[in-house]
Amino acid sequence: MKRSRKIASLTVLAITLGILLTACAGKPVEESNNSATPANTSTAANVEFKYGKIDIPGKDGALCGVPIYIAYDKGFFAEEGFDVTLISASAETRKIGLNNGTIPIVNGDFQFFPSIENDVKVKVVDGLHNGCIKFLVKKDSPISGVKDLKGLKIGIDEVGGTPHQVASVWLEKNGISAKPEDGEVTFLPFDDGNLEVEALKKGDIDVAALWDPFGSVQEKTGNYKVIFDLSTDPTFAGKYCCFLYASEKVLAEDPEKIAALLRAYNKAQNWIAENPEEAVQIVIDKKYSAIEDKELAVELVKHYQYPSKHDHEANKQDVGKDVLYFATELYNIGYLKTNPDEFVKKAYQKVDLTLGK
């Protein structure tokens, strides 16, 4: 499963050029069997969209995007006043769209943090779900954990990408330098997960760091074993790995709009928590994600611990604390230069969800 997650930080010049390209950024692509308001929802007819038409990136096929698919398919976006078109958008297009306000909200992980540090105008406004990355080795490999990785080769999707950052934090916290100049581990990037797995099979790399569902699909073949799971490893367990990021411009000019979007996402998260099997069936039937193994998909969706309405009301997971935790970890390994407390002040904004109700 490919996910577009390019970490290259935008400079001021790049942002300025991006603004000039607004007309191109976030351009909708052709939908198959999906309308802007799904016809099978009770809200499809006679809806007055308070906030009009918006584009939301939601066509990358990632299983962790289930709240977007459900909010779209079950009409939660429409209920909150949005005529949504799901679009394809690269990581850079997302950043440009957020920065100039043409894209109001996206989901993403802490890979966005360095971009915020480099003045992309975006704020973390909520948490989405817990871990979705696994590290695999061959089933007969003597590697059983982080202590065995010194001197080995680790496959990743891109240098500076989230699997690379996660592996770096994991290594550094266990006394192994992830810095290339120290030569204690070697990271090798692969544009395609299949190529990464093939390299693992051939012995060209010792470990493959993979996104779900691809990593879990490979695990289920029986040819590989998992030595790291982002959702259960003590360094990351119980914390949001993926967040919702809102355009700072939209937050300043129309905070009610972001509050309404978050209510739609929260409704979707609650619906998934209560109906994981049905949520997965919708994803499979509508081909939102290219996964055919329903049993595995349900297992993963439950594994991600999408927060329920009760979880949100009880503040079961403190989004601000999770942002601070990962900012601190990334600061400790040199990915961030800003003091973590100062970074959180810049990066996180709690939104009043009663706005506009």
Side-chain angles (χ1 to χ4, degrees):
M1 185 67 60
K2 287 188 69 176
R3 297 182 67 175
S4 294
R5 294 174 178 262
K6 299 299 180 185
I7 196 62
S9 299
L10 290 174
T11 62
V12 174
L13 177 60
I15 293 171
T16 303
L17 291 173
I19 292 172
L20 295 176
L21 295 172
T22 298
C24 295
K27 182 179 180 182
V29 298
E30 289 294 319
E31 297 289 323
S32 63
N33 302 320
N34 289 322
S35 59
T37 305
N40 63 342
T41 69
S42 60
T43 59
N46 302 318
V47 173
E48 291 185 10
F49 297 107
K50 178 179 179 180
Y51 300 104
K53 293 180 177 292
I54 65 167
D55 295 337
I56 293 180
K59 298 197 74 176
D60 62 3
L63 195 60
C64 58
V66 174
I68 301 172
Y69 316 142
I70 295 301
Y72 177 83
D73 196 84
K74 301 298 291 184
F76 298 139
F77 286 134
E79 287 177 8
E80 293 295 340
F82 298 96
D83 184 0
V84 170
T85 298
L86 300 183
I87 64 170
S88 294
S90 69
E92 292 308 309
T93 299
R94 293 178 188 218
K95 292 173 191 176
I96 292 169
L98 288 166
N99 193 74
N100 60 33
T102 57
I103 296 176
I105 197 165
V106 304
N107 63 299
D109 47 60
F110 44 86
Q111 185 183 28
F112 272 82
F113 286 13
S115 297
I116 294 175
E117 187 176 54
N118 285 284
D119 291 326
V120 176
K121 303 303 181 183
V122 57
K123 299 279 191 185
V124 177
V125 290
D126 206 350
L128 194 65
H129 66 81
N130 294 358
C132 54
I133 294 172
K134 291 180 178 177
F135 296 174
L136 273 61
V137 297
K138 289 190 287 190
K139 65 178 182 180
D140 58 353
S141 171
I143 302 169
S144 61
V146 65
K147 299 295 185 182
D148 301 321
L149 299 184
K150 193 169 183 177
L152 301 186
K153 297 176 182 177
I154 302 173
I156 52 176
D157 61 346
E158 56 181 323
V159 174
T162 306
H164 184 202
Q165 292 185 15
V166 166
S168 298
V169 170
W170 193 44
L171 290 163
E172 295 276 357
K173 286 184 77 70
N174 287 277
I176 299 174
S177 175
K179 299 177 180 63
E181 61 268 23
D182 292 337
E184 294 192 0
V185 294
T186 301
F187 290 103
L188 297 176
F190 294 84
D191 288 336
D192 185 275
N194 289 295
L195 295 177
E196 189 174 338
V197 170
E198 185 64 22
L200 179 62
K201 183 179 179 180
K202 291 180 177 179
D204 295 333
I205 58 175
D206 304 288
V207 181
L210 299 167
W211 292 102
D212 272 338
F214 190 67
S216 294
V217 169
Q218 295 303 313
E219 177 191 8
K220 200 168 182 179
T221 66
N223 297 321
Y224 308 97
K225 64 182 181 181
V226 173
I227 63 166
F228 172 89
D229 184 332
L230 186 64
S231 66
T232 59
D233 184 85
T235 302
F236 303 93
K239 299 176 179 64
Y240 287 119
C241 73
C242 286
F243 300 93
L244 288 169
Y245 291 85
S247 165
E248 193 172 305
K249 185 176 189 292
V250 179
L251 268 173
E253 295 176 356
D254 196 355
E256 289 185 5
K257 189 173 187 177
I258 299 301
L261 279 169
L262 292 182
R263 289 195 296 270
Y265 276 96
N266 285 180
K267 288 177 183 178
Q269 289 169 316
N270 180 70
W271 198 89
I272 295 164
E274 293 181 346
N275 308 277
E277 290 84 3
E278 189 174 350
V280 166
Q281 194 62 56
I282 289 172
V283 170
I284 292 174
D285 290 346
K286 299 296 180 68
K287 302 187 185 303
Y288 289 120
S289 180
I291 184 168
E292 298 178 357
D293 188 333
K294 182 177 179 180
E295 182 181 353
L296 174 61
V298 171
E299 179 185 333
L300 291 173
V301 166
K302 290 179 178 178
H303 205 50
Y304 298 156
Q305 300 176 43
Y306 288 104
S308 66
K309 180 180 179 181
H310 174 75
D311 292 336
H312 277 292
E313 291 174 347
N315 196 28
K316 183 178 178 181
Q317 284 186 241
D318 189 317
V319 180
K321 285 185 177 179
D322 286 357
V323 173
L324 176 60
Y325 177 83
F326 287 119
T328 301
E329 295 302 326
L330 295 176
Y331 177 80
N332 288 340
I333 64 171
Y335 274 82
L336 291 178
K337 307 302 181 185
T338 308
N339 174 277
D341 290 317
E342 292 301 315
F343 177 82
V344 173
K345 291 178 184 178
K346 180 178 182 179
Y348 173 61
Q349 182 172 328
K350 186 174 179 62
V351 177
D352 180 359
L353 297 190
T354 66
L355 290 172
K357 291 190 72 174

